[in-house]
Amino acid sequence: MPPKLRSGVRRGRAAVAKESLEPPKRNNAKKKEEVVPVTVAVNVNTMADASGGLSANKGVAPEDPVFPEKVQVGGSPMYKVERKLGKGGFGQVFVGRRERAGPGAVEVALKFEHRNSKGCNYGPPYEWQVYNTLGGSHGIPKVHYKGRQGDYYVMVMDMLGPSLWDVWNSSSQTMSSEMVSCIAVESLSILEKMHSKGYVHGDVKPENFLLGQPATAQEKKLFLVDLGLATKWRDTSSGQHVEYDQRPDMFRGTVRYASVHAHLGRTASRRDDLESLAYTLIFLHKGRLPWQGYQGDTKSFLVCKKKMGTSPEMLCCFCPAPFRQFLEAVVSMKFDEEPNYAKLISLFDGIIGPPALRPVNTDGAQKVGQKRSRLNVEEDDDSQPKKKVRLGVPAMQWISIYNARLPMKQRYHYNVADTRLAQHIEKGIADGLLISCVSSCSNLWALIMDAGTGFTHQVYKWSPVFLHKEWIMEQWDKSYYITSIAGSLNGASLVVMSKGTQYTQQSYKVSDSFPFKWINKKWKEGFHVTSMATAGSRWGVVMSRNAGYSDQVVELDFLYPSEGIHRRWDNGYRITATAATQDQSALILSIPRRRPGDETQETLRTSQFPSTHVKDKWSKNLYLSCLCYGRTEQAVPACPYCSVL
């Protein structure tokens, strides 16, 4: 006797957007848990900077801070606090004038950070640790004294001149190719030195590059300041590169200049500083970046989308060729790739003049301008062309996931109209199959049915709303749990609920943006993502207790996140759910508590439903486990197990 499947037919009120729902725990009193809706905001705790961008702000200082009139810390002379020089996410900077004659500079920069700021929860600011390692090295100002006075932690630093933002703003908001090329060369040498000590800056932008004081020997010297967002790319104890991760709710940096990886919450590495430098150079030369002007809560999302959708050719139009070549090189870097600074610096050889005539000193790059052969940034040391990993053309495709299984019967249907769903499903039931996955493309449905679900009974519900709240709650009361969901562009949904699962409690959320904060909250409560889908631009995510996973991560991108998937695979994760909108694709990767005998998993991206490819996979005992239709990219596959067709 085949498993019994019933079709839900009641139509209730539409589910409320941004609502999270849960049934009671199995065998417990049937009391529903109240879940407060969570709205994801990537750029939380932000502060406007001089360029109109936003920076991550760790500080929570008083609204009307009162600064001391005089400062003396760490054995320093007494300094009178004079005019304010600037303000950022990690404090405020003033001019300090020494009151009595003695050794050292008469004027210094005094940086104040309030003791109640989040960066000072455990004592002195984190930035102090970074300056202890980097202070005084090439291109980093020296900290002469530091200590606490009253409510403030204070650093006494070298007094410097105008920022590159100030210079650009006072030069008709444009800079010559030679000026910007000199900045590129010296910035790269400063970042190379910083990176060699194990740190990435994390907030490269015009405001954070300062020239030396005017009318001094250092007036053409470039400095990089504000190390409050610096992080380690290299583990201090092991000397190895830090581990890759992605937290889509974590943004660090300034929206205008941040790398795409920073927008997406990926662990910072050396490539991010270089991508931010590329945007900085293009801004200084052209005077504007295409993503300026966005406002509101979705600013970071829209800026990131624009960055991903703007080709290097378009972004660097009217710029000399080296600017485009530099951008192409740095956005193609892998997470742990070591930059070839010499090759990047060599790109600008043909633009900058003799050392004595350069508007910015390039002492940090000794060989620049000297006679040597041209280095091709497109090639590695073995002269093999370097693969461009983030320059694919955006496309709408099917993403299908295949797992190794013992031979079993599986069936698929695609381009199924609403009125034909019951016909295909009932025929599958008669043949001993149940639904393992549903999806949608162009308001038509795709069904995957097989004999290996392990479910005993199923019900399903087509609804014109995404998702049907009342019907889902009715089925929860009957001990059914959601096992697959799909949504269409017109807002309709298809929900499949089953008995015979291992789940003991379940919750779902519908959100206008990918609800990572809610997912992270539920992870801490013992839930894991077991199904997700999209309807237009809205996301639906289902999470369950006792899902059989020991750990779970998210890969979210505006293109197919190939590098992240391969890194997760290498660490034992396997894709267990996927969904995509017209803007983003998301994949859930999990580590099962019970490892399968064969952990082989392959992915496929196709413009059409992969009907012919599915049959080829079946011949290798690889069966469809999940699929979705949405934003990916047309690009050469990274490996034979991650195919693009």
Side-chain angles (χ1 to χ4, degrees), residues 246 248 266 399-401 514 516 519 523 529 532 539 552-557 559-562 564-565 568-569 573-580 584-590 601-605 626-628 631-632 642:
Q246 183 179 18
R266 295 195 174 112
I399 302 173
S400 50
I401 315 299
F514 186 77
F516 181 79
I519 291 173
W523 278 342
V529 177
M532 62 181 183
W539 295 84
Q552 199 169 68
V553 294
V554 169
E555 283 296 322
L556 178 70
D557 206 326
L559 298 178
Y560 182 76
S562 180
I565 291 170
R568 304 298 195 180
W569 276 349
Y573 291 86
R574 292 297 179 265
I575 300 167
T576 53
T578 181
Q584 291 181 300
S585 59
L587 294 97
I588 302 296
L589 295 97
S590 312
Q601 185 174 75
E602 295 183 8
T603 68
L604 191 66
R605 285 173 279 154
C626 54
L627 77 163
C628 69
R631 179 69 170 264
T632 64
C642 188

Side-chain angles (χ1 to χ4, degrees), residues 416-422 443-445 462 488 490 492:
V416 178
D418 301 340
T419 55
R420 293 179 64 83
L421 281 170
N443 298 324
L444 297 173
W445 306 100
W462 174 91
S488 60
N490 62 15

Side-chain angles (χ1 to χ4, degrees), residues 71-79 98 102-112 128 131-132 141-149 153-158:
V71 163
Q72 186 175 31
V73 293
S76 74
M78 182 70 73
Y79 293 100
R98 193 179 64 212
V106 174
E107 278 193 344
V108 295
L110 302 173
K111 184 165 187 178
F112 293 85
W128 285 18
Y131 270 110
N132 285 342
K142 185 176 181 180
V143 175
H144 298 282
Y145 308 97
K146 55 184 181 292
R148 178 174 165 179
Q149 179 169 317
Y153 289 101
V154 184
M155 282 196 299
V156 181
M157 309 171 66
D158 287 333

Side-chain angles (χ1 to χ4, degrees), residues 398 412-416 421 435 437-441 444-448 484 486 494 609 627:
W398 284 97
Y412 60 82
H413 302 280
Y414 63 98
N415 291 342
V416 178
L421 281 170
I435 300 168
C437 179
V438 292
S439 188
S440 178
C441 171
L444 297 173
W445 306 100
L447 304 170
I448 309 300
S484 189
L494 180 60
F609 187 88
L627 77 163

Side-chain angles (χ1 to χ4, degrees), residues 378-409:
E378 296 290 334
E379 296 181 355
D380 291 321
D381 294 336
D382 58 2
S383 297
Q384 294 298 315
K386 181 177 178 180
K387 185 182 183 301
K388 297 178 180 179
V389 298
R390 214 200 73 195
L391 296 179
V393 178
M396 295 292 289
Q397 293 180 310
W398 284 97
I399 302 173
S400 50
I401 315 299
Y402 304 83
N403 289 340
R405 300 280 298 270
L406 293 174
M408 68 174 185
K409 188 174 182 179

Side-chain angles (χ1 to χ4, degrees), residues 275-389:
E275 185 175 340
S276 292
L277 177 60
Y279 298 144
T280 294
L281 300 175
I282 296 165
F283 171 81
L284 292 173
H285 185 63
K286 295 181 65 175
R288 187 170 179 82
L289 294 167
W291 42 84
Q292 289 179 228
Y294 291 114
Q295 300 294 333
D297 293 339
T298 60
K299 175 177 179 175
S300 184
F301 172 87
L302 294 172
V303 168
C304 186
K305 178 181 175 182
K306 186 69 173 179
K307 287 176 181 176
M308 292 293 283
T310 305
S311 68
E313 291 79 9
M314 180 68 70
L315 184 57
C316 297
C317 64
F318 307 117
C319 292
F323 288 73
R324 175 185 55 79
Q325 295 165 359
F326 178 71
L327 178 63
E328 287 179 345
V330 299
V331 301
S332 297
M333 289 181 63
K334 295 181 180 179
F335 169 69
D336 56 1
E337 183 176 341
E338 181 177 3
N340 191 324
Y341 303 93
K343 286 186 178 182
L344 296 174
I345 286 173
S346 74
L347 287 173
F348 301 93
D349 284 357
I351 302 179
I352 60 179
L357 300 178
R358 293 173 188 171
V360 174
N361 287 345
T362 56
D363 299 337
Q366 297 291 333
K367 296 182 180 180
V368 175
Q370 296 178 9
K371 185 177 181 180
R372 65 183 187 275
S373 61
R374 179 74 177 174
L375 293 169
N376 185 2
V377 77
E378 296 290 334
E379 296 181 355
D380 291 321
D381 294 336
D382 58 2
S383 297
Q384 294 298 315
K386 181 177 178 180
K387 185 182 183 301
K388 297 178 180 179
V389 298

